[in-house]
Amino acid sequence: MAAMLVLLVTGVYLMYFYDASGDYVTYDGSHAPLRGVEVSPAYASTVHLSLEVRGGLMVRQAHHWAALVLPASLLLQLFSTFVTGAFRKPRRVMWLLLFATFLLALAGGWSGYAMPDDSLSGTGLRIMHGLLVGIPVIGTPLAFLLFGGEFPGRILETLYPLHVFIVPGLIVAVVALRLRLAYRHGPQADANRGDDGAATPPLGATVARSGGLFFIAAGVLVIMGGTMTVSPIWLYGPAESDTASAGSQPDWYLAFLDGALRLVPPGWEFVLWGRTWPLALLVPIGVVGVFMMLVALSPFIEARLSHDDQEHHVLDRPRDNPSRTGAGVAGAVFYGSLLVSGGVDVIATELHLSFNDLIYFFRAMILLGPALAFFVTRAICVGLQDQDRTKAAMGYETGTIVRGPDGGYTELHGPLPKASAPLPATIVEGAPSHGDSAA
């Protein structure tokens, strides 16, 4: 929420200085290396804001850092919601809204990434244009519609209302609806407390804690904007249609798409019905699309597989459902492998490794990593369940060793405090957890 508010406040400030035009003007600002260079008004206005407007660079960098932090916070929330079972009935719609917020954050970040019209963002737009025209049948019309003609077209004029009005409006609407549903369903109890959820914190304490964390997070983002350089476009130079910067990388939240494209063998295509079907493009799009669909529909898939249509108002511990937790970690490994693959060229250069060997390694990670992560995570969860049952039966280890009459040594165990007793002593995977109410 803090990153979202920082984005909105700084975005309103930035829009007063930004000129969303792709036409060319001669730069005559204070940055001497650019004087006399043909640049777009979008680039010139962003450089003017960064170097000549008091506080402008801090605001722009805070905006950029918040755009980088927001998808990360949403990913963490998605993962924690998944492994604790907080997406189950009656909160399935809330899960879909959270996932929609994540997708909107990606759309907003990508559209904002292109706004400065510098060399780095121009390279990203060129890649996006190439991806669109590579899609058979519908790709070229989509590219003409988005770019307003041949590249670069009027892409800045198209993205500006999307970035400034449409995406933020949708995010605010989706978040407001999710907050409304959260208020209607009430807070979820935590199984780690060892109660049935009746002892919830006072509302005032919850608001104070949330407000404090909000202001801390917002303050950290503003400090980052004032002290940590990000996107120094005056060093990159203006975008040019016929040039691309070596080592260009998208912002981290879109690197998984770039990574998916890098891992597919080049030249993988076939001709059918008089058209070339580039599998090197269609397969990554299809795989990422299926993965996203599985994530979005996970509460419905789990309910179907476990035959559980009850309402759940108590959060599971991750160990309570080993298969669900294993699936979550497997999905994280899959996504993380794609994410890191997006920078495989930089990794190869900086660490002096073979580019081809890294590609083969990440291909193996995509195929074998999720399965290995699932079984290892599931085994760890089952082991933690066994440990809980042992504690429930024998108590906690006191560290006191006594010698018996037969000469053997035994460690004394003490009774567990009632509030910290593990829940439950015997866990049946997929069954309703303690405190759940029937539908």
Side-chain angles (χ1 to χ4, degrees):
M1 188 64 73
M4 196 176 303
L5 185 63
V6 170
L7 279 171
L8 292 176
V9 173
T10 56
V12 171
Y13 177 84
L14 296 176
M15 66 184 295
Y16 285 103
F17 297 92
Y18 181 75
D19 185 355
S21 174
D23 298 328
Y24 288 97
V25 297
T26 301
Y27 179 80
D28 59 355
S30 62
H31 191 53
L34 288 174
R35 287 176 186 166
V37 178
E38 294 291 319
V39 300
S40 67
Y43 181 80
S45 62
T46 308
V47 173
H48 167 73
L49 168 69
S50 302
L51 303 182
E52 301 173 33
V53 176
R54 180 172 296 179
L57 180 60
M58 184 197 72
V59 175
R60 190 176 78 84
Q61 292 187 152
H63 187 80
H64 198 123
W65 281 118
L68 296 176
V69 170
L70 179 60
S73 63
L74 291 172
L75 275 177
L76 291 175
Q77 189 173 359
L78 282 167
F79 185 77
S80 63
T81 301
F82 183 89
V83 298
T84 58
F87 57 25
R88 295 172 295 177
K89 186 178 179 179
R91 294 172 176 83
R92 296 171 183 170
V93 176
M94 292 178 59
W95 168 263
L96 294 176
L97 293 174
L98 179 61
F99 184 75
T101 305
F102 174 70
L103 295 183
L104 289 171
L106 298 187
W110 175 77
S111 58
Y113 175 84
M115 289 288 101
D117 199 34
D118 60 293
S119 179
L120 182 60
S121 63
T123 301
L125 288 176
R126 191 52 157 164
I127 294 173
M128 175 59 68
H129 183 268
L131 292 178
L132 287 177
V133 298
I135 300 176
V137 183
I138 62 173
T140 301
L142 284 177
F144 267 75
L145 178 64
L146 179 62
F147 285 83
E150 293 288 347
F151 183 86
R154 312 297 296 181
I155 183 63
L156 295 180
E157 290 86 339
T158 302
L159 292 181
Y160 182 75
L162 178 69
H163 179 71
V164 174
F165 301 109
I166 298 176
V167 171
L170 290 174
I171 289 179
V172 170
V174 170
V175 170
L177 179 57
R178 191 169 185 274
L179 290 175
R180 171 60 180 164
L181 291 177
Y183 177 79
R184 176 189 300 176
H185 296 311
Q188 289 181 282
D190 189 349
N192 286 314
R193 286 205 308 268
D195 57 26
D196 59 0
T200 57
L203 179 61
T206 302
V207 172
R209 182 180 61 181
S210 300
L213 292 174
F214 170 85
F215 285 111
I216 291 173
V220 169
L221 289 173
V222 173
I223 292 174
M224 292 172 65
T227 59
M228 302 173 66
T229 301
V230 63
S231 185
I233 63 169
W234 55 91
L235 300 180
Y236 299 156
E240 298 180 13
S241 301
D242 58 343
T243 61
S245 301
S248 298
Q249 299 290 320
D251 280 338
W252 76 267
Y253 46 81
L254 291 177
F256 74 99
L257 297 175
D258 195 11
L261 292 170
R262 290 171 184 252
L263 295 182
V264 178
W268 198 15
E269 61 187 27
F270 65 93
V271 178
L272 181 64
W273 300 320
R275 295 182 180 274
T276 299
W277 299 81
L279 295 180
L281 174 61
L282 298 179
V283 169
I285 294 176
V287 170
V288 171
V290 170
F291 174 71
M292 290 294 188
M293 185 178 300
L294 290 175
V295 172
L297 299 179
S298 52
F300 305 96
I301 296 173
E302 178 179 300
R304 185 66 176 269
L305 294 178
S306 62
H307 306 287
D308 179 13
D309 199 38
Q310 294 182 328
E311 290 191 356
H312 297 266
H313 300 285
V314 178
L315 298 175
D316 288 341
R317 295 176 302 172
R319 70 185 68 176
D320 292 346
N321 196 312
S323 293
R324 181 206 296 144
T325 304
V329 175
V333 169
F334 178 82
Y335 177 86
S337 298
L338 293 181
L339 191 70
V340 179
S341 299
V344 69
D345 53 340
V346 177
I347 296 174
T349 302
E350 295 299 323
L351 300 182
H352 306 287
L353 299 175
S354 168
F355 178 84
N356 290 331
D357 290 344
L358 287 174
I359 289 295
Y360 291 134
F361 171 77
F362 284 111
R363 285 175 181 171
M365 280 294 297
I366 289 294
L367 297 176
L368 304 178
L372 180 62
F374 174 83
F375 288 111
V376 170
T377 303
R378 193 179 189 284
I380 292 174
C381 291
V382 172
L384 291 173
Q385 288 184 0
D386 291 339
Q387 186 181 62
D388 284 346
R389 284 191 287 269
T390 301
K391 286 183 177 180
M394 302 181 61
Y396 71 92
E397 298 177 353
T398 63
T400 301
I401 308 297
V402 297
R403 186 176 183 179
D406 58 352
Y409 292 91
T410 305
E411 182 180 12
L412 297 180
H413 289 72
L416 292 176
K418 183 177 180 182
S420 63
L423 280 179
T426 302
I427 299 171
V428 179
E429 185 176 317
S433 59
H434 178 71
D436 290 338
S437 60

